[in-house]
Amino acid sequence: MSLDINTKKAKKNAWRITKERGIGASRIRVPGGYCDAEVLGMVQEIAQTYGNGYVHLTTRQGFEIEGIHLEDMEEVNKKLQPIIEKVGINQNGEDKDKGYSASGTRNVSACIGNNVCPFANYNTSNLARRIDKEIFPNDLHFKVACTGCSNDCAKVRMHDFGIIGQTMPQYDPMRCVSCNACVKGCQSLSVGALRLENYKIVRDTEKCIGCGVCVTKCPTRAWTRSEKKYYKLTIMGRTGKKNPRLGKDWLIWADEDNIVKIIKNTYAFVEEYISPNAPARKEHIGYIIDRVGFEKFKEYALKDVELMPETIMNNTVYWDGIHFDNQH
Amino acid sequence: MGYKFSKEEMASIFSKLAEDYDVFAPVVKKGDGTFSDVDVVRYDKVSSLDEIEFEKKSDYSFKEALLPINETIFYFTEDETTVPKGPAKERLVFLRACDLNAVKRLDQIYLKNGFEDFYYKRTREMTKFVLMGCKESCTSGFCVSMGTNTTDEYDLYLKLDGDNAYVEAKDEKLAEAFKSGNEEAVSPDFVSENPTKVTLPKNITPETMKSELFKEYGNRCINCGRCNFVCPTCTCFTMQDIFYKDNEKNGERRRVWASCQVDGYTEIAGGHGFRSDNADRMRFKVMHKIHDFEKRFGYHMCVGCGRCDDVCPEYISYSNLVNRLGKECE
């Protein structure tokens, strides 16, 4: 009997229809790329029982279990249930034992963050999981990523929304011994925003990107992190065939709650202005903004958003990147 | 004389004491550590008992309560200088046995080293010490090896145990505050064994100074100076003359902590430095702690608190270096 499979439905159920007829792959997103090692055993079991024994670690921090016969989809979906619960995928209640709704909005990825990394300014996985809960499941094509510091190991500038951890360095001159470790560290690892004047540090607040290198270099705790955690929000970076480009800074020294709000607000903007011709309702948000204008985007994104006084908002954002779509 | 109190009673006595004294004690500074969401335990002024961290060893020693990191020596105008006033109140400093033994080293350098340091002396004379016992040894400390695990130099011993608090007041004036308590024999908790043990080199010769170990560890050192800044016995400072920006004819002279591991320590006019090589700096530090000081004053400088090992970002273990040096010298 020939296979009779609703591929559209399967794709929205986190399945890939592969190039090999009759064979699919089960995609499991791991929000923030952080999971209990127990999950690995569960993935292994599915891969060895139903798949070809191989797993691809996806570019967005998930597992893709290869070589599964499409007629086993239902059974595999049941096996996915404990994994879905363990990694904290925001599953619709009625989807229990039936996999999870996916496609469109992509896994919120994260660098390893301050669980481990000395440079990171916040717990990236926790924020990724918080955002996951807020925006999933959703069909619209959104890419969000969290990175602990301006090193941007998570490459968040290639995302619609990139969240970069910042700290507002706090300086106690009476603990400073003028050792210059922060000045040297900022110069060699960051932007060179510090200088010594009268044996004390002067921080160029215009230049400082809040990376926190000074804090990690300080041997006396003259430099410490701000109690409040700050974030830089870069927007509308993308890869792709037409005009790949890096996301640009929109908000600097912003707070977590408002960033989550802005991401959620943007869904309404996309609903309103997405091209009717977008294939499977997939259009990078940046192209929509290019079409309808940044002011319109701001109108939607900033709904009910009250930024902190210290947050800097760039009123206009200009992108560049490589244009393959309108070269003459 | 020892007294027993409930923890609440002790907290209220303490709050009253903190009105008469400036109290310096180890405090958990939330999120102020080197890395994000990491705390640091360091000294600060406290006004209530529950601010004090009794369990964890402080990352930085008590010494900043006696020797401020930055201390203004005098202010100057065009034709006169003014010495800032000393402490207005007497101060209480909470510390452990190793650190109280370190006070002896600080006194040695600042009071019994040929002259008396005016600034240290006026603070020191206003200072009383409150011993915090050690029920268990910390992992990196080697106070037993250094003979600094016990002390009787304290003015007050204070111990919290569940809902109870115990004091032993040796200082008469302080004892007044505790007379309301139930008399009970109280003696400090001292450890008699550490997991870390150090055997000092016995036969140090000029050859020892050439040990390859100093090169090995020196090569790993990044000259951050953390080992010196956390050390309760490091006493080096540098001088800084600050000319106020608005009127550069006025200013102040400060003394500021210095580190023999940080660039600039041995720099002289003309830019020459005596220990530009890391191996030389490492040798100088280690030898000062376990040899040079002893040669001069008859006892070792290092009190074995282990803070330098805890803080080193490059995982340089001073205690292990000394042990290895000891083996080389056998």
Side-chain angles (χ1 to χ4, degrees):
Chain A
M1 199 180 79
S2 296
L3 276 173
D4 181 2
I5 303 240
N6 183 339
T7 57
K8 285 196 178 65
K9 224 177 118 193
K11 284 179 193 168
K12 295 242 179 270
N13 190 210
W15 282 84
R16 187 196 290 277
I17 307 301
T18 71
K19 44 189 264 202
E20 192 181 341
R21 193 139 189 98
I23 297 295
S26 168
R27 294 146 68 95
I28 305 161
R29 74 163 193 270
V30 181
Y34 194 65
C35 72
D36 189 322
E38 210 185 326
V39 168
L40 302 178
M42 298 172 181
V43 170
Q44 179 189 9
E45 196 204 319
I46 297 172
Q48 290 175 340
T49 315
Y50 300 94
N52 62 10
Y54 280 84
V55 172
H56 181 239
L57 301 178
T58 74
T59 55
R60 294 210 65 82
Q61 300 184 317
F63 302 108
E64 182 156 338
I65 308 175
E66 292 182 12
I68 301 174
H69 289 271
L70 288 172
E71 52 264 51
D72 289 338
M73 266 196 304
E74 220 170 286
E75 226 171 301
V76 170
N77 274 344
K78 261 186 218 153
K79 290 271 180 195
L80 291 179
Q81 190 56 34
I83 301 179
I84 289 167
E85 284 165 21
K86 272 254 173 236
V87 302
I89 288 173
N90 204 22
Q91 187 187 34
N92 278 335
E94 67 267 25
D95 282 350
K96 195 164 186 287
D97 292 323
K98 293 178 190 152
Y100 65 94
S101 298
S103 193
T105 296
R106 300 297 202 251
N107 188 39
V108 182
S109 52
C111 74
I112 194 158
N114 84 351
N115 272 326
V116 173
C117 178
F119 289 110
N121 288 315
Y122 70 103
N123 190 319
T124 51
S125 309
N126 281 357
L127 180 56
R129 284 192 282 190
R130 174 179 173 189
I131 296 170
D132 185 277
K133 291 270 174 283
E134 300 274 4
I135 64 176
F136 278 97
N138 206 304
D139 269 355
L140 295 172
H141 189 265
F142 273 56
K143 280 182 179 164
V144 182
C146 305
T147 201
C149 77
S150 289
N151 280 351
D152 193 6
C153 296
K155 296 165 182 62
V156 304
R157 282 188 194 272
M158 295 172 86
H159 292 69
D160 299 310
F161 293 101
I163 302 164
I164 300 176
Q166 295 187 291
T167 189
M168 190 81 84
Q170 307 290 305
Y171 181 60
D172 178 354
M174 295 324 277
R175 294 195 70 79
C176 175
V177 295
S178 334
C179 71
N180 258 320
C182 56
V183 177
K184 289 181 201 161
C186 189
Q187 188 63 49
S188 63
L189 297 168
S190 193
V191 296
L194 305 178
R195 65 175 199 277
L196 203 63
E197 210 176 277
N198 251 347
Y199 297 102
K200 296 296 175 209
I201 305 298
V202 179
R203 180 173 69 101
D204 183 338
T205 52
E206 302 277 306
K207 222 173 172 188
C208 172
I209 54 166
C211 68
V213 161
C214 49
V215 181
T216 63
K217 294 294 172 194
C218 180
T220 58
R221 310 324 303 132
W223 283 113
T224 51
R225 286 185 168 72
S226 51
E227 207 180 316
K228 240 191 262 177
K229 290 195 163 67
Y230 291 93
Y231 305 86
K232 183 183 268 191
L233 183 65
T234 70
I235 54 167
M236 306 309 145
R238 63 192 174 207
T239 56
K241 298 184 178 83
K242 296 169 195 271
N243 169 220
R245 66 189 190 189
L246 289 180
K248 287 279 176 80
D249 293 3
W250 181 31
L251 302 180
I252 305 158
W253 311 111
D255 62 301
E256 193 179 310
D257 289 351
N258 276 320
I259 285 176
V260 173
K261 220 183 255 178
I262 284 167
I263 296 171
K264 285 177 76 177
N265 284 344
T266 305
Y267 278 88
F269 168 77
V270 175
E271 283 289 359
E272 185 66 30
Y273 293 106
I274 190 169
S275 162
N277 303 324
R281 306 229 305 151
K282 261 169 77 174
E283 186 180 24
H284 280 126
I285 310 163
Y287 289 109
I288 307 174
I289 295 177
D290 293 348
R291 199 166 56 239
V292 304
F294 191 60
E295 288 304 314
K296 202 36 116 183
F297 161 72
K298 274 204 310 199
E299 203 181 296
Y300 277 79
L302 293 175
K303 191 173 169 259
D304 298 327
V305 169
E306 208 173 302
L307 296 170
M308 301 185 297
E310 62 266 47
T311 302
I312 295 170
M313 182 174 75
N314 289 322
N315 282 320
T316 45
V317 177
Y318 298 103
W319 294 271
D320 31 42
I322 316 160
H323 278 276
F324 297 108
D325 48 346
N326 58 0
Q327 276 174 340
H328 300 292
Chain B
M1 185 57 72
Y3 300 98
K4 182 182 174 184
F5 295 91
S6 71
K7 206 176 160 187
E8 289 73 36
E9 287 167 337
M10 178 58 81
S12 95
I13 295 172
F14 181 87
S15 299
K16 278 204 203 91
L17 268 184
E19 287 169 16
D20 298 334
Y21 292 87
D22 282 335
V23 184
F24 291 87
V27 169
V28 177
K29 297 277 177 187
K30 206 133 191 54
D32 280 358
T34 303
F35 306 118
S36 166
D37 289 339
V38 174
D39 303 338
V40 70
V41 183
R42 65 167 178 82
Y43 275 70
D44 207 351
K45 229 168 102 169
V46 298
S47 52
S48 69
L49 196 61
D50 56 11
E51 291 171 64
I52 302 175
E53 173 59 46
F54 276 93
E55 295 300 316
K56 282 185 224 126
K57 176 167 74 182
S58 64
D59 297 298
Y60 290 79
S61 87
F62 72 96
K63 77 178 168 189
E64 57 196 82
L66 290 179
L67 290 165
I69 300 174
N70 283 259
E71 182 166 25
T72 301
I73 297 299
F74 55 77
Y75 300 96
F76 56 85
T77 56
E78 282 176 80
D79 43 27
E80 56 183 27
T81 57
T82 315
V83 174
K85 288 198 180 80
K89 275 187 188 176
E90 282 192 278
R91 49 183 65 185
L92 293 179
V93 178
F94 279 67
L95 37 54
R96 296 172 192 280
C98 54
D99 281 353
L100 196 42
N101 277 283
V103 173
K104 183 180 167 188
R105 278 84 175 153
L106 300 187
D107 287 352
Q108 190 78 56
I109 294 297
Y110 281 99
L111 300 175
K112 299 170 194 159
N113 189 21
F115 64 93
E116 286 180 341
D117 181 86
F118 167 81
Y119 298 92
Y120 179 81
K121 192 183 174 196
R122 67 180 187 180
T123 306
R124 177 70 175 86
E125 281 175 344
M126 300 277 274
T127 306
K128 289 172 184 173
F129 296 103
V130 184
L131 180 69
M132 308 159 83
C134 294
K135 218 166 173 186
E136 280 167 27
S137 171
C138 56
T139 48
S140 60
F142 45 96
C143 53
V144 177
S145 303
M146 301 312 295
T148 55
N149 53 321
T150 62
T151 176
D152 55 7
E153 297 290 312
Y154 52 94
D155 299 292
L156 193 76
Y157 170 66
L158 196 154
K159 175 185 174 167
L160 298 182
D161 190 7
D163 295 332
N164 296 318
Y166 302 87
V167 288
E168 185 201 351
K170 299 211 306 183
D171 177 83
E172 275 178 33
K173 196 180 150 206
L174 280 172
E176 289 294 321
F178 299 98
K179 288 215 162 121
S180 62
N182 296 323
E183 284 189 24
E184 194 173 311
V186 173
S187 60
D189 291 329
F190 295 124
V191 297
S192 53
E193 212 183 340
N194 309 119
T196 302
K197 294 176 177 60
V198 167
T199 312
L200 298 185
K202 287 203 180 61
N203 311 303
I204 290 174
T205 65
E207 276 309 297
T208 317
M209 310 295 167
K210 294 179 197 148
S211 168
E212 285 294 313
L213 282 172
F214 299 122
K215 267 190 212 144
E216 182 191 325
Y217 284 95
N219 281 337
R220 287 164 54 189
C221 174
I222 57 166
N223 308 111
C224 70
R226 281 175 175 82
C227 51
N228 298 122
F229 298 132
V230 298
C231 177
T233 68
C234 274
T235 54
C236 288
F237 59 80
T238 185
M239 284 294 187
Q240 296 178 350
D241 286 348
I242 283 92
F243 302 90
Y244 297 146
K245 281 177 83 181
D246 290 359
N247 179 354
E248 295 196 335
K249 288 173 177 166
N250 298 337
E252 62 187 88
R253 172 167 292 182
R254 294 184 194 140
R255 69 175 179 199
V256 179
W257 286 6
S259 155
C260 55
Q261 307 303 299
V262 171
D263 288 346
Y265 182 82
T266 60
E267 211 169 271
I268 56 165
H272 181 66
F274 296 100
R275 286 188 292 273
S276 53
D277 192 63
N278 273 2
D280 293 336
R281 297 181 194 184
M282 189 65 65
R283 185 207 68 234
F284 175 78
K285 179 186 74 180
V286 173
M287 282 304 168
H288 195 202
K289 298 290 177 196
I290 61 163
H291 180 65
D292 303 338
F293 186 98
E294 191 259 352
K295 225 163 101 184
R296 202 153 148 205
F297 301 116
Y299 61 98
H300 288 294
M301 185 179 185
C302 173
V303 291
C305 72
R307 288 189 180 94
C308 52
D309 283 13
D310 296 333
V311 79
C312 181
E314 300 301 314
Y315 283 73
I316 290 170
S317 168
Y318 159 86
S319 58
N320 197 41
L321 193 169
V322 173
N323 276 332
R324 290 177 65 190
L325 196 66
K327 288 218 175 78
E328 273 188 8
C329 291
E330 269 171 12

